[in-house]
Amino acid sequence: MFIKDVINDILIVTCDIKDMYTNIKKDLGLKAIRYWLYKYPSLLHERFSIDFVLEALEFVLDNSNFQFNNNFYSLISGTVTGTKVAPTYANLTVAFLEISLYDKVKEIYGENIQKYVISNWKRFLDDGQILWKKSFGNIEDFVNILNSLDNNIHFTHECSTTGLPYLNLFLYIENEKLLTDIYYKDTDSHDYLPFSSCHPRHTKINIPQTLARIICTVVDDPKRKQFRLMELKAWLKKAGYPISLIESAFLKVNKVDQLTLRAKVPPKSENLLVYVETHNPKNPKVFEHLSKFFNFLKSFERFSKLFEGTKLIRSERQPKNLGHLLQHSCVNLDKPKNGCQKCNKKSCGTCQYILETDSIYFSRLDIYFKLLNAFTCESGNIIYKITCNGCGEFYIGLTVNLRHRVTNHKFCLFNEASRIQKVHRHIHDCAGSMLVPFSIVPFYKVKRDTNVARLSTESFFIRKFNPRLNRDK
Ligand SMILES: [Zn+2]
Ligand SMILES: [Zn+2]
């Protein structure tokens, strides 16, 4: 912490890169990644060469596409934010610019201030922060250096002699000391996962502890810390967490001193064997058995060597929620037109038999039947009409999968042993030499997905249209 005469010299400064992802040009990004790859080649996994990584990165950057309302869009500048590589890519690119920053600071302010800047300039992705000393000169000059690093990267900044938010921290000066408090954005509604939610129990139990841990790590002033914990307790209570659970979590975290909480925890290098399952409280407890068998297996000498130091753990995958089920990356505002259309997929064996139309005509009854749904080769749970291309007689059938049904009809038509039904015998004799002996139109969607509904709908249409090819004699 700072002694009195020094703290008066301090200006708390936070910087933010304006629209970082969209403003990193590809040339700069690739140059930066190339630089880091050649600087630390040993960090690269032996399976990958530098050229492979660069080529793959360029491929990702060049292929950021999405579809909206039947139009395809491609990102032409910057980095797409959704891709996995984006944060690392952006981070390394800005870090590459920081090399020039330190050089320029040395040029303008000298080596001592360069050293100070190297150890005091902190950044998380696009958010930078420094405790600037007024004795160094005007902060605007420093920000100007930041803005000279690249023409497209623009830093905005804020400064204060009393306090400023930075990430989830509030940095402030009190009694000649620089302290930190937790900072919540105004938009934070503190709606934590409800305790009644269908999540694995350990997930919910961890929430009070994780949140309390953040407070205990971040908040310097003990009185403020207690206030922040009380605040959190009220929010968690609102989300249905039992008081006893909240209190025991707080107690556990409170016992650990702040220095330990703030210390960097080195990543554990464990050999993990992960059993992944989709979370559902109703699933049988497979993992408990697995774990028992795994231990049994390890009791044999051969396997104990094989699995030495291996830990079997369970991981639960989130099941699809309503959001996942309702969203699709392809947004199409055009409603499909009612009628029957070929799917036009390359290897579809049904397309050539599909008659594209929005109504069918029953000549004997002189009835036009309008198709009130959209049908393709991929439709199912439907009533269809097959017309003999030789004479125009027809057959009415039902299927849960049109494509499978057409395959089956074709098979029966061309294999004598299977040519038992009248429809197949007739079409074979009447139109068997034609390239496309019959055409098919799915014309009615059965509303309910049950056998009874399908069969009664089919028999309704057979009675109504009286198709000759359905009669077996
Ligand atoms: Zn098709
Ligand atoms: Zn015929």
Side-chain angles (χ1 to χ4, degrees):
M1 293 300 141
F2 298 87
I3 47 168
K4 192 173 179 178
D5 57 20
V6 180
I7 205 84
N8 288 335
D9 189 25
I10 288 292
L11 196 59
I12 302 171
V13 183
T14 59
C15 297
D16 187 78
I17 303 177
K18 202 170 169 286
D19 304 326
M20 176 180 68
Y21 285 110
T22 40
N23 283 318
I24 296 177
K25 296 284 177 268
K26 196 177 100 184
D27 290 348
L28 171 70
L30 288 174
K31 195 171 145 192
I33 303 299
R34 177 182 299 275
Y35 170 85
W36 293 117
L37 286 170
Y38 278 100
K39 192 169 166 78
Y40 299 104
S42 60
L43 292 179
L44 197 61
H45 195 285
E46 57 191 18
R47 284 194 295 149
F48 306 111
S49 70
I50 290 181
D51 285 342
F52 171 81
V53 175
L54 289 170
E55 205 183 309
L57 179 64
E58 198 170 354
F59 182 83
V60 171
L61 294 172
D62 283 341
N63 290 282
S64 307
N65 313 315
F66 69 95
Q67 191 193 347
F68 180 75
N69 210 10
N70 276 338
N71 292 315
F72 284 94
Y73 296 83
S74 178
L75 189 76
I76 48 172
S77 176
T79 324
V80 66
T81 31
T83 176
K84 262 194 179 171
V85 76
T88 313
Y89 167 78
N91 213 356
L92 287 171
T93 305
V94 182
F96 177 69
L97 293 177
E98 281 165 350
I99 300 169
S100 325
L101 167 72
Y102 302 138
D103 288 347
K104 286 189 178 176
V105 166
K106 185 180 173 186
E107 219 172 87
I108 297 168
Y109 295 98
E111 205 167 329
N112 281 339
I113 295 182
Q114 183 206 30
K115 275 185 190 156
Y116 177 86
V117 171
I118 289 176
S119 58
N120 286 280
W121 164 251
K122 315 277 182 198
R123 181 178 58 82
F124 179 78
L125 288 168
D126 56 345
D127 285 306
Q129 183 263 320
I130 190 166
L131 299 175
W132 183 253
K133 294 188 184 179
K134 287 177 232 166
S135 54
F136 292 167
N138 199 333
I139 180 62
E140 309 287 338
D141 295 336
F142 177 74
V143 178
N144 284 341
I145 301 177
L146 284 171
N147 281 322
S148 69
L149 301 175
D150 182 84
N151 285 336
N152 301 299
I153 307 287
H154 184 73
F155 286 82
T156 58
H157 78 286
E158 267 179 81
C159 45
S160 163
T161 47
T162 50
L164 267 188
Y166 175 64
L167 304 172
N168 68 337
L169 304 178
F170 188 79
L171 309 171
Y172 65 102
I173 290 168
E174 196 177 80
N175 299 329
E176 282 106 38
K177 273 184 186 166
L178 178 84
L179 300 171
T180 51
D181 186 7
I182 194 158
Y183 174 72
Y184 301 112
K185 280 187 180 167
D186 291 340
T187 46
D188 192 340
S189 57
H190 302 284
D191 284 324
Y192 301 113
L193 179 77
F195 195 70
S196 59
S197 170
C198 178
H199 276 70
R201 197 175 154 76
H202 70 262
T203 306
K204 293 184 285 189
I205 289 178
N206 276 340
I207 288 175
Q209 203 173 316
T210 309
L211 294 170
R213 198 184 173 92
I214 296 172
I215 290 174
C216 292
T217 308
V218 159
V219 185
D220 275 310
D221 182 53
K223 270 189 196 154
R224 270 194 196 229
K225 190 172 94 177
Q226 284 319 312
F227 169 72
R228 292 302 189 192
L229 287 172
M230 285 305 109
E231 231 178 14
L232 176 64
K233 190 173 170 179
W235 294 323
L236 288 170
K237 227 174 100 181
K238 211 178 103 200
Y241 288 77
I243 298 287
S244 58
L245 180 81
I246 303 174
E247 280 175 351
S248 77
F250 284 14
L251 204 69
K252 213 164 152 187
V253 179
N254 245 328
K255 271 189 201 152
V256 190
D257 78 292
Q258 203 167 43
L259 280 178
T260 314
L261 287 172
R262 288 183 179 186
K264 221 176 175 176
V265 186
K268 277 188 218 160
S269 59
E270 277 179 312
N271 202 359
L272 297 179
L273 191 60
V274 190
Y275 169 71
V276 187
E277 64 180 341
T278 303
H279 173 66
N280 182 340
K282 286 187 176 163
N283 279 350
K285 307 276 173 256
V286 178
F287 182 75
E288 279 155 34
H289 294 287
L290 268 182
S291 153
K292 221 160 62 189
F293 290 131
F294 185 64
N295 288 332
F296 175 66
L297 207 62
K298 282 204 293 188
S299 67
F300 297 96
E301 202 192 327
R302 204 177 129 206
F303 291 110
S304 79
K305 269 185 199 151
L306 189 67
F307 291 119
E308 204 180 315
T310 303
K311 208 170 140 190
L312 179 70
I313 60 160
R314 169 178 37 182
S315 167
E316 286 178 288
R317 185 195 295 124
Q318 193 185 4
K320 277 196 175 177
N321 58 29
L322 264 184
H324 294 138
L325 292 171
L326 296 176
Q327 262 171 37
H328 202 280
S329 56
C330 158
V331 183
N332 201 338
L333 297 181
D334 283 346
K335 262 199 185 160
K337 255 175 59 191
N338 288 344
C340 170
Q341 275 175 326
K342 300 175 196 282
C343 74
N344 286 322
K345 287 193 175 152
K346 248 185 178 172
S347 56
C348 178
T350 299
C351 276
Q352 57 173 322
Y353 297 93
I354 289 273
L355 187 69
E356 294 195 304
T357 179
D358 55 9
S359 66
I360 42 176
Y361 181 57
F362 294 93
S363 56
R364 227 180 299 128
L365 301 161
D366 194 28
I367 290 177
Y368 277 99
F369 188 90
K370 211 169 148 46
L371 275 53
L372 295 177
N373 286 87
F375 301 94
T376 71
C377 316
E378 282 155 347
S379 296
N381 210 26
I382 47 118
I383 309 294
Y384 61 89
K385 177 191 180 208
I386 279 185
T387 309
C388 168
N389 283 348
C391 65
E393 286 297 343
F394 63 95
Y395 167 89
I396 285 174
L398 76 88
T399 180
V400 288
N401 184 320
L402 184 64
R403 192 176 274 146
H404 289 175
R405 191 75 190 104
V406 170
T407 308
N408 185 258
H409 276 305
K410 283 192 292 184
F411 181 81
C412 293
L413 195 59
F414 298 117
N415 289 280
E416 201 177 345
S418 312
R419 222 178 289 138
I420 299 159
Q421 272 180 283
K422 183 175 179 185
V423 55
H424 302 129
R425 286 198 314 268
H426 170 87
I427 294 174
H428 178 264
D429 297 344
C430 179
S433 60
M434 296 172 81
L435 193 66
V436 183
F438 66 91
S439 51
I440 186 162
V441 180
F443 65 89
Y444 189 82
K445 176 102 192 146
V446 182
K447 302 286 178 294
R448 274 171 302 141
D449 191 6
T450 64
N451 261 332
V452 175
R454 276 187 287 270
L455 287 167
S456 61
T457 313
E458 183 195 32
S459 75
F460 167 80
F461 282 111
I462 291 175
R463 266 184 280 122
K464 186 174 168 72
F465 297 126
N466 194 17
R468 289 214 177 116
L469 299 186
N470 279 63
R471 294 179 229 150
D472 257 344
K473 299 235 168 69

